[in-house]
Every structure is written in C-alpha cells, then in structure tokens.
C-alpha cells in the first residue's frame, strides 16, 4: 500500500474515534458509512452498528479516564480504513474531504507526519515532527 494512503488511514481512524464523543458525530458516522456503502455495500449496515458500538466504548473509556482503550479503538479503526482504502484507493479524496470537514479544531488530531531521509558516508540526519533541540552534551 502507498505510504501516503496508509498515513491517511491512520489519521482518519484516529479522527473518527475522536469525533465519536463530539457534536459532529452523527454527520461523521453517515459520511463514514457512505464510504463503505460505495466500496462494500453489503457491509455498510454492519459497519454502522460497529461504529455505534465503538462510540459507546469511547464514551465509557472517557468517563473512566481510560486513554489506552480509546487508543486501541483508534488503532482498530485505522486498520479498517486502511483495508477499505486498499480495496478502493479512489476514495482517498473522499476520506480527505471528510477529515477536512469534520476534524475538530484544536482536537489534537493532526495529520500524521512522514519523514524520509538518506545519509551516506559519515552523514547525519536530524528529523523532527515538532521542536528539535540540539546542544552540546
């Protein structure tokens, strides 16, 4: 699978789970189910039920302060969306549109960053997704 599409699935899975506890959940759920309806129409109703079950789990995890369970649910939906995108890569733009439309501002859900570098000889590479501080030790 294209690394960019895999990263998109990761971001989408995390975003969908984050949105489960928010005001935009019903519209997000409808948009996600519509993706499945396009690719696997026979699975759309079961995905709808699974989204609602996951939402109950997310709300319970947040009430209990169980961030690990919420992270596990995000990983589960990342995998589901990765498989959906693998089955129909043409929906990638639709997934991006859903993310742009529903991602809550300030939610802490940012696009996954992918860094690549190649060094040769005695070359060094320093990469960071945020701040990087290099000082004398």
């Amino acid at each position: 699978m294209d690394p960019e599409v895999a990263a998109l699935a990761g971001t989408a899975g995390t975003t969908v789970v984050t949105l489960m506890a928010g005001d935009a959940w019903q519209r997000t759920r409808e948009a996600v189910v519509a993706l499945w309806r396009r690719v696997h129409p026979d699975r759309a109703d079961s995905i709808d039920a699974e989204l609602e079950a996951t939402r109950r789990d997310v709300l319970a995890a947040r009430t209990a302060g169980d961030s690990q369970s919420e992270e596990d649910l995000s990983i589960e939906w990342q995998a589901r969306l990765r498989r959906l995108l693998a089955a129909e890569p043409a929906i990638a733009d639709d997934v991006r549109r859903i993310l742009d439309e529903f991602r809550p501002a300030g939610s802490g859900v940012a696009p996954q960053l992918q860094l690549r570098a190649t060094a040769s000889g005695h070359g060094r590479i320093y990469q960071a997704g945020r701040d990087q501080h290099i000082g004398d030790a």
Side-chain angles (χ1 to χ4, degrees), residues 116-126:
R116 295 181 197 174
T118 303
S120 62
H122 295 291
R124 293 184 183 175
I125 298 171
Y126 300 95

Side-chain angles (χ1 to χ4, degrees), residues 32-55:
V32 171
V33 171
L35 290 173
W36 255 272
R37 201 167 303 287
R38 282 183 48 202
V39 179
H40 299 296
D42 55 316
R43 295 222 39 236
D45 291 337
S46 66
I47 286 295
D48 192 14
E50 291 170 28
L51 282 164
E52 286 302 323
T54 302
R55 180 176 189 267

